[in-house]
């Protein structure tokens, strides 16, 4: 039997909210900052959580970020509609939409991306 990395999806929202204001430093100079707060659900933030989960290098440059602080509209594809999404991922200068499913999934995706970057 495998153990879940985080609590059940039902409790994960509270776990995510408890990360607000936390910073973690790594021995190699990287550091992480969490900003998470409950907001009134809206068209742009239907899950009611405004967040910014970021990884910074030893020069204080953000190298990774998951947030919903502003809208993101993908580049226009030929004849394709463009959906504006507020949940997105920054990796250096590259920005891509992020499909928010749950707080626990957000935490897992963030930590997986952190591990991937730090392994490079």
């Amino acid at each position: 039997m495998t153990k879940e990395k985080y609590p059940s999806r039902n409790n994960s929202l509270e776990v995510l909210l408890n990360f607000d204001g936390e910073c973690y430093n790594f021995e190699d100079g990287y550091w992480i900052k969490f900003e998470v707060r409950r907001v009134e659900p809206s068209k742009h933030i239907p899950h009611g959580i405004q967040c910014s989960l970021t990884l910074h290098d030893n020069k204080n440059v953000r190298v990774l970020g998951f947030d919903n602080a502003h809208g993101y509209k993908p580049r226009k594809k030929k004849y394709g509609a463009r959906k504006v999404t507020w949940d997105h991922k920054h990796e250096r200068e590259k920005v891509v939409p992020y499909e928010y499913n749950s707080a626990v999934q957000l935490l897992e995706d963030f930590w997986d991306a952190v591990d991937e970057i730090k392994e490079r």
Side-chain angles (χ1 to χ4, degrees):
M1 185 167 109
T2 61
K3 248 187 169 175
E4 282 188 37
K5 202 173 188 180
Y6 297 101
S8 72
R9 293 186 191 278
N10 296 336
N11 296 331
S12 69
L13 189 54
E14 292 305 317
V15 170
L16 181 60
L17 286 165
N18 286 332
F19 275 103
D20 183 43
E22 294 291 329
C23 290
Y24 298 95
N25 297 303
F26 296 96
E27 289 180 10
D28 58 6
Y30 281 90
W31 58 279
I32 289 175
K33 181 179 180 183
F34 290 92
E35 295 176 347
V36 186
R37 64 184 175 96
R38 196 180 300 267
V39 295
E40 193 66 36
S42 68
K43 173 183 167 187
H44 301 300
I45 305 175
H47 43 72
I49 295 295
Q50 188 166 13
C51 63
S52 174
L53 286 59
T54 56
L55 171 68
H56 305 262
D57 66 15
N58 59 0
K59 296 177 181 145
N60 294 329
V61 174
R62 181 185 67 185
V63 295
L64 175 69
F66 283 72
D67 74 77
N68 57 5
H70 57 86
Y72 167 72
K73 186 183 285 190
R75 290 185 179 175
K76 187 175 182 180
K77 293 185 179 176
K78 195 173 187 178
Y79 310 113
R82 295 184 295 170
K83 176 187 171 193
V84 175
T85 181
W86 283 67
D87 292 304
H88 56 275
K89 173 183 169 184
H90 297 262
E91 189 165 343
R92 299 268 181 204
E93 287 80 39
K94 184 179 174 184
V95 180
V96 294
Y98 176 75
E99 190 68 37
Y100 179 92
N101 293 312
S102 70
V104 71
Q105 189 64 53
L106 174 62
L107 286 168
E108 288 177 357
D109 292 344
F110 176 71
W111 285 112
D112 288 346
V114 166
D115 289 343
E116 182 182 316
I117 288 171
K118 287 177 60 48
E119 287 174 3
R120 287 186 207 154

